[in-house]
Amino acid sequence: MDLFIQQTDGKKIVDPKQQTALCSHLKEEMLPPLRVIVTNRGPDTELLVANPVELSGKGRPRVFYDVTLALKMLGICIFSAEIGRHSTSERQWEVYRFLLDESPELPLASKQARNQIVERVRNTLMGW
């Protein structure tokens, strides 16, 4: 794919450092840097979904809906859920934390079940 971007004065960007920085920023914004993990929180099982906040400061309100839909399709109930923001040196993340109820159909302690949860949530979020 070719992309043509001009500076504010209308001239072509020829500095390789500027081109590299621009490409890096575009990739960072266009590629889905979504993080999805299932972890233990004491005796409970927690699903963490981290999504970068857009440069405009807006989050993605559909993340909450998509995650709950994916869990519902797997027959997993949510005991509690919360949304927060976390800042790193490079960007701000919206972090969704779901405390999951144990399911007879999908025992949360098994690695296979955890992988299935991560895969289903990620695919639902990506629209696959």
Side-chain angles (χ1 to χ4, degrees):
M1 177 172 80
D2 292 327
L3 178 65
F4 300 98
I5 299 176
Q6 299 175 339
Q7 296 183 46
T8 54
D9 61 5
K11 293 183 180 177
K12 184 177 175 181
I13 299 173
V14 292
D15 181 17
K17 288 183 182 178
Q18 284 183 330
Q19 290 175 347
T20 302
L22 181 60
C23 286
S24 174
H25 287 297
L26 286 171
K27 285 178 186 175
E28 188 174 298
E29 291 303 315
M30 291 172 31
L31 295 177
L34 190 68
R35 308 285 187 267
V36 181
I37 60 168
V38 177
T39 185
N40 289 334
R41 183 174 163 188
D44 300 317
T45 303
E46 183 176 57
L47 170 66
L48 294 170
V49 179
N51 186 59
V53 175
E54 294 178 7
L55 293 176
S56 64
K58 295 180 181 177
R60 288 182 52 203
R62 246 194 99 114
V63 170
F64 191 80
Y65 172 80
D66 287 342
V67 172
T68 55
L69 176 64
L71 293 172
K72 181 180 178 182
M73 289 189 297
L74 290 170
I76 298 172
C77 295
I78 300 168
F79 178 74
S80 69
E82 59 185 55
I83 304 170
R85 290 215 173 175
H86 177 75
S87 295
T88 64
S89 60
E90 296 179 5
R91 68 182 320 149
Q92 193 174 34
W93 294 81
E94 218 166 38
V95 180
Y96 300 79
R97 300 168 64 123
F98 298 88
L99 201 56
L100 306 177
D101 272 344
E102 192 65 39
S103 165
E105 299 92 34
L106 201 63
L108 300 175
S110 81
K111 185 167 179 63
Q112 181 183 3
R114 290 173 179 236
N115 289 341
Q116 192 175 352
I117 292 168
V118 168
E119 184 180 324
R120 175 64 62 93
V121 168
R122 185 173 278 126
N123 289 345
T124 302
L125 286 167
M126 302 308 293
W128 296 337

